[in-house]
C-alpha cells in the first residue's frame, strides 16, 4: 500500500533528492566518467529533474510569502496592506498547488514507463468490420504518436480482405511511450453502420489491443539455441502470395511455445531482427502478466494489463461518443479522438490512477 507523503517527511526527502541532483551534476562536469557510468548518471539525473525543479520553485515562492508577511507587519498604508494581502492569498494558493504536484511527482513510478512499446491490434468480433476497426485504431495510435514526435515501425501485419487488419504489430519509440500507452490494453468496442450494411443498421464489433514494453537484454534472457527458425513466402490479404522468395520469418520459442511471424521487412535478415524483438517483448510481457496476477485486481482493472477479455472502451459513431468504462468517462468527441487526440482520455486515466495512489489504495 502506498501512503501519501506530507509535511516534513516529504520535504526531507526532497532535500535529499536535491543534494543528489547537485552531486550528479558535479560528477558529470568532471569529464572523467566512462560511457556506462555517464549513461547511468544521466538517467538518474533525468528522473530527479522534475521533482527537484518543482521543489526549488516551491522554496522560492515560500520565501516570497515569508518576506511579504514580514513586510505586512510593518506596513501602515491601508492600500498597500490590501495589495499585500491579495498577493499573499495568491502565493498561498500557488504553494498548495505546488505541494500537490510534488506529492504526485514523488509517487512510485512504473519501472517500464520510460520504455518503448510493441502494440498488437487484432480484429475480433464482427468479422470484416472488426478488422476495419483494427485499422482505424492503428491510424488513431499513429496520429497520436505523430503528435508526440514518436516513431512508429510496423513489425508484422496481416491485412483484412475488406480493409483494416486481422492483426498488426508495431513498435512505438520515443519519450515516456509506455507511461501513456499502457492504459490501452483491452477490448475496444465500436458501434456504427458498416459500409456493407444496406439497411442502415448499427452493428457492434470489437478489436483487441495489447501494449507490451520493449524488453531490454538484461530483463529477459532469450537464447537463439531455444528458438526454431523457419522461413516462408510472404503473402498479402487473404493469403495471396506477394513474392516467391522465402523472406518471411517465423520464430518459435521452444521453452514457452511462443510463436511470432514477420514479413514486413525487405529482407529475411530484417524480418528476423524484427521478429526477435517482438518475441522478446512477448516473453517479457508474459512475465509481467504473471507478476500482475500477484499484485491485486485494482491496478489490473484500471490499467487493463493482461485482461484481453475486458471491455475497456466503446466508440459510438452515430452519437460521436467515446466511453471509457474503467473510470466512467464519456466524451462527445469521437471525431477528434480518432484523429489522435487521445490525451482527452489518457490524462483522466492517469489522474484517476494517481488519485488512488495518493489515497493509499492498492493500485
Amino acid at each position: 500500500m502506498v501512503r501519501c507523503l506530507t509535511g516534513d517527511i516529504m520535504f526531507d526527502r526532497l532535500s535529499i533528492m536535491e543534494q543528489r541532483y547537485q552531486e550528479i551534476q558535479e560528477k558529470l562536469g568532471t569529464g572523467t566518467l566512462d560511457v556506462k557510468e555517464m549513461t547511468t548518471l544521466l538517467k538518474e539525473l533525468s528522473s530527479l529533474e522534475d521533482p527537484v525543479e518543482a521543489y526549488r520553485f516551491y522554496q522560492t515562492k515560500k520565501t516570497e510569502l515569508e518576506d511579504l508577511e514580514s513586510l505586512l507587519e510593518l506596513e501602515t498604508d491601508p492600500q498597500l496592506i490590501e495589495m499585500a494581502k491579495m498577493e499573499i492569498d495568491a502565493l498561498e494558493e500557488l504553494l498548495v498547488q505546488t505541494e500537490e504536484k510534488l506529492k504526485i511527482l514523488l509517487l512510485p513510478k512504473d519501472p517500464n514507463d520510460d520504455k518503448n512499446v510493441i502494440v498488437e491490434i487484432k480484429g475480433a468480433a464482427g468479422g470484416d468490420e472488426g478488422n476495419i476497426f483494427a485499422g482505424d485504431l492503428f491510424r488513431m495510435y499513429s496520429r497520436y504518436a505523430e503528435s508526440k514526435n514518436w516513431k512508429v515501425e510496423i513489425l508484422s501485419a496481416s491485412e483484412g480482405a475488406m480493409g483494416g487488419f486481422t492483426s498488426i504489430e508495431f513498435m512505438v519509440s520515443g519519450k515516456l511511450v509506455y507511461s501513456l500507452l499502457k492504459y490501452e490494453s483491452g477490448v475496444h468496442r465500436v458501434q456504427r453502420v458498416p459500409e456493407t450494411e444496406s439497411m442502415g443498421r448499427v452493428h457492434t464489433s470489437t478489436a483487441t489491443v495489447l501494449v507490451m514494453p520493449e524488453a531490454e537484454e538484461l530483463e529477459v534472457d532469450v537464447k537463439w539455441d531455444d528458438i526454431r527458425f523457419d522461413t516462408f513466402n510472404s503473402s498479402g490479404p487473404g493469403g495471396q502470395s506477394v513474392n516467391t522468395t522465402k523472406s518471411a520469418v517465423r520464430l518459435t520459442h521452444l521453452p514457452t511455445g511462443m510463436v511470432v511471424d514477420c514479413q514486413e521487412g525487405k529482407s529475411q535478415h530484417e524480418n528476423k531482427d524484427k521478429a526477435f524483438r517482438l518475441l522478446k517483448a512477448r516473453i517479457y510481457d508474459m512475465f509481467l502478466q504473471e507478476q500482475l496476477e500477484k499484485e491485486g485486481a485494482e491496478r489490473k482493472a484500471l490499467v487493463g494489463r493482461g485482461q484481453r477479455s475486458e471491455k475497456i472502451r466503446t466508440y459510438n459513431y452515430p452519437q460521436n461518443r467515446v466511453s471509457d468504462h474503467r473510470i466512467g468517462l464519456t466524451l462527445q468527441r469521437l471525431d477528434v479522438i480518432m484523429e489522435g487526440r487521445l490525451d482527452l482520455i489518457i490524462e483522466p486515466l492517469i489522474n484517476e490512477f494517481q488519485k488512488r495512489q495518493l489515497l493509499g489504495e492498492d493500485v
Side-chain angles (χ1 to χ4, degrees):
M1 180 177 289
V2 179
R3 298 203 177 276
C4 176
L5 291 169
T6 57
D8 292 340
I9 295 175
M10 181 175 78
F11 288 107
D12 286 346
R13 181 177 169 189
L14 285 163
S15 178
I16 293 169
M17 292 171 73
E18 185 184 33
Q19 291 175 22
R20 177 59 181 162
Y21 187 80
Q22 291 172 333
E23 288 175 7
I24 295 173
Q25 286 184 316
E26 290 171 5
K27 284 185 179 181
L28 291 170
T30 63
T32 59
L33 306 175
D34 59 35
V35 174
K36 184 177 180 181
E37 188 175 5
M38 182 177 292
T39 301
T40 302
L41 287 176
L42 284 171
K43 188 173 182 179
E44 185 180 356
L45 188 74
S46 177
S47 69
L48 292 171
E49 187 172 8
D50 286 345
V52 167
E53 285 186 357
Y55 173 59
R56 288 174 173 173
F57 177 80
Y58 182 92
Q59 294 295 91
T60 299
K61 295 304 173 183
K62 184 181 177 183
T63 300
E64 289 180 17
L65 177 61
E66 291 168 349
D67 290 345
L68 265 177
E69 289 173 336
S70 298
L71 288 171
L72 188 60
E73 293 177 1
L74 304 173
E75 188 56 62
T76 58
D77 186 322
Q79 188 173 0
L80 291 176
I81 289 174
E82 184 63 27
M83 290 175 61
K85 286 182 177 179
M86 290 176 62
E87 193 167 346
I88 285 172
D89 289 343
L91 281 170
E92 287 177 341
E93 177 63 26
L94 182 59
L95 285 173
V96 169
Q97 293 174 1
T98 306
E99 189 168 340
E100 291 303 310
K101 179 181 178 181
L102 284 166
K103 290 176 186 177
I104 290 172
L105 288 170
L106 289 177
L107 289 172
K109 290 182 172 57
D110 188 325
N112 290 314
D113 275 352
D114 291 330
K115 292 184 178 178
N116 300 328
V117 304
I118 291 176
V119 183
E120 172 198 87
I121 306 175
K122 287 186 174 182
D128 289 335
E129 176 63 13
N131 296 338
I132 292 170
F133 181 51
D136 294 337
L137 290 176
F138 172 66
R139 180 177 179 274
M140 177 184 73
Y141 290 125
S142 297
R143 291 291 181 90
Y144 182 59
E146 184 180 348
S147 74
K148 298 290 185 185
N149 294 316
W150 296 340
K151 177 185 175 184
V152 174
E153 176 189 3
I154 296 176
L155 300 177
S156 178
S158 177
E159 296 181 7
M162 301 296 292
F165 300 97
T166 58
S167 176
I168 182 168
E169 291 153 320
F170 55 99
M171 177 173 284
V172 185
S173 309
K175 186 177 181 180
L176 298 173
V177 177
Y178 184 74
S179 69
L180 298 176
L181 290 183
K182 64 184 176 184
Y183 299 98
E184 295 304 297
S185 290
V187 174
H188 295 240
R189 182 175 69 171
V190 62
Q191 296 173 325
R192 63 185 177 190
V193 180
E195 293 181 7
T196 55
E197 171 56 59
S198 59
M199 303 296 291
R201 292 172 298 186
V202 174
H203 287 222
T204 297
S205 305
T206 62
T208 60
V209 176
L210 178 63
V211 178
M212 301 172 283
E214 183 183 18
E216 297 177 6
E217 293 295 335
L218 297 177
E219 292 170 328
V220 54
D221 185 19
V222 181
K223 299 183 177 68
W224 277 104
D225 290 343
D226 294 331
I227 296 173
R228 187 175 73 233
F229 172 61
D230 298 303
T231 60
F232 57 96
N233 295 342
S234 61
S235 61
Q240 179 184 0
S241 179
V242 295
N243 68 34
T244 56
T245 61
K246 293 182 180 294
S247 61
V249 166
R250 177 176 294 116
L251 300 183
T252 305
H253 187 243
L254 300 176
T256 61
M258 197 82 69
V259 180
V260 299
D261 295 337
C262 185
Q263 61 178 15
E264 297 304 307
K266 298 178 181 179
S267 67
Q268 186 184 110
H269 177 76
E270 185 179 347
N271 283 328
K272 185 178 179 182
D273 178 65
K274 288 183 176 184
F276 187 59
R277 281 187 287 165
L278 179 57
L279 180 64
K280 286 196 298 181
R282 284 189 174 279
I283 293 170
Y284 182 54
D285 184 70
M286 180 183 69
F287 293 147
L288 282 181
Q289 294 199 41
E290 290 174 356
Q291 180 182 340
L292 285 169
E293 290 296 328
K294 303 173 184 177
E295 288 183 356
E298 182 137 2
R299 172 180 162 82
K300 290 186 292 181
L302 177 62
V303 180
R305 297 279 299 124
Q307 301 296 306
R308 294 292 294 279
S309 61
E310 177 194 6
K311 181 184 69 180
I312 64 168
R313 194 175 298 151
T314 295
Y315 304 72
N316 186 296
Y317 277 73
Q319 299 179 27
N320 195 38
R321 185 183 72 224
V322 178
S323 299
D324 194 287
H325 307 295
R326 295 165 292 181
I327 57 174
L329 174 70
T330 296
L331 300 171
Q332 305 291 144
R333 305 193 66 183
L334 172 63
D335 50 349
V336 298
I337 288 169
M338 294 307 293
E339 289 298 318
R341 294 281 302 281
L342 262 179
D343 282 330
L344 293 170
I345 298 176
I346 289 175
E347 286 182 4
L349 279 166
I350 293 173
N351 290 338
E352 176 65 19
F353 182 58
Q354 291 174 339
K355 184 180 80 173
R356 294 184 188 186
Q357 283 186 298
L358 286 169
L359 291 173
E361 297 179 6
D362 290 327
V363 293

